[in-house]
Amino acid sequence: MGMRKNFVIYALLSVLVVALAVIGIVVVVNNQNQTKGYVRVKAVVVDYREKFDYDDYEMMYSEIVEYEVDGTVYLGYNNVWTNVPKGIGKEIEIAYNPANPAKCVFVKSQNLLPIVCFSISGVSLLALILQVIKDIIAKRKSNDGYYEHNLIA
């Protein structure tokens, strides 16, 4: 029964490690393809959008930034909401489409999901390794006791 339990734990942790790593890689590649040819510039936070999150019962904020391309000023709206707003006047890195400078993406916001996926994947891999080591040690101890018991008898 113990072997089946261990196999299930190994299988679940392995699937979790691989799935989260694959999701992280897909998101990174997708983000790179989405911003291929985009130009990175510093934008300045000029305002916020606000909404109330009824699940967590707190105010959420999304930055509105201003950036300039060839003398024209554009506004960008972050699609990621946070409960800790950045200060007005703070610089944020964005990337804009040179063919359509009004289209921009917030560079740091794109990196959040892959970081979370890789972090959880790494912790799961560590848990898997520790579980294997624990099981090897337990098996050696039980085998040592078996041999000692047979030698005494």
Side-chain angles (χ1 to χ4, degrees), residues 97-108:
N97 182 345
N100 180 9
K103 184 176 180 186
C104 74
V105 293
F106 287 68
V107 174
K108 193 170 184 177

Side-chain angles (χ1 to χ4, degrees), residues 3 10 14 24 29 36 41 47 60 67 82 102 106 114-115 119 135-136 140 146 148:
M3 283 295 265
Y10 295 161
S14 298
V29 169
K36 189 177 249 178
V41 295
D47 203 358
M60 302 296 287
Y67 59 100
T82 177
F106 287 68
I115 289 170
S119 297
D135 291 344
I136 289 171
R140 283 188 180 168
Y146 173 76
E148 287 175 13

Side-chain angles (χ1 to χ4, degrees), residues 19-30:
L20 288 172
V22 167
I23 289 169
I25 291 168
V26 167
V27 170
V28 167
V29 169
N30 186 43

Side-chain angles (χ1 to χ4, degrees), residues 56-110:
D56 293 329
Y57 205 71
E58 64 185 349
M59 189 62 74
M60 302 296 287
Y61 306 92
S62 172
E63 297 90 7
I64 300 172
V65 298
E66 191 175 83
Y67 59 100
E68 186 176 332
V69 178
D70 298 329
T72 304
V73 176
Y74 295 93
L75 289 178
Y77 301 88
N78 198 345
N79 293 325
V80 176
W81 295 83
T82 177
N83 63 347
V84 181
K86 291 183 175 56
I88 301 291
K90 181 169 171 75
E91 286 190 341
I92 296 177
E93 186 177 21
I94 60 140
Y96 70 87
N97 182 345
N100 180 9
K103 184 176 180 186
C104 74
V105 293
F106 287 68
V107 174
K108 193 170 184 177
S109 296
Q110 285 191 314

Side-chain angles (χ1 to χ4, degrees), residues 117-134:
C117 287
F118 292 139
S119 297
I120 295 173
S121 179
V123 169
S124 300
L125 180 60
L126 182 62
L128 176 63
I129 291 168
L130 291 174
Q131 183 66 37
V132 169
I133 291 170
K134 177 183 152 236

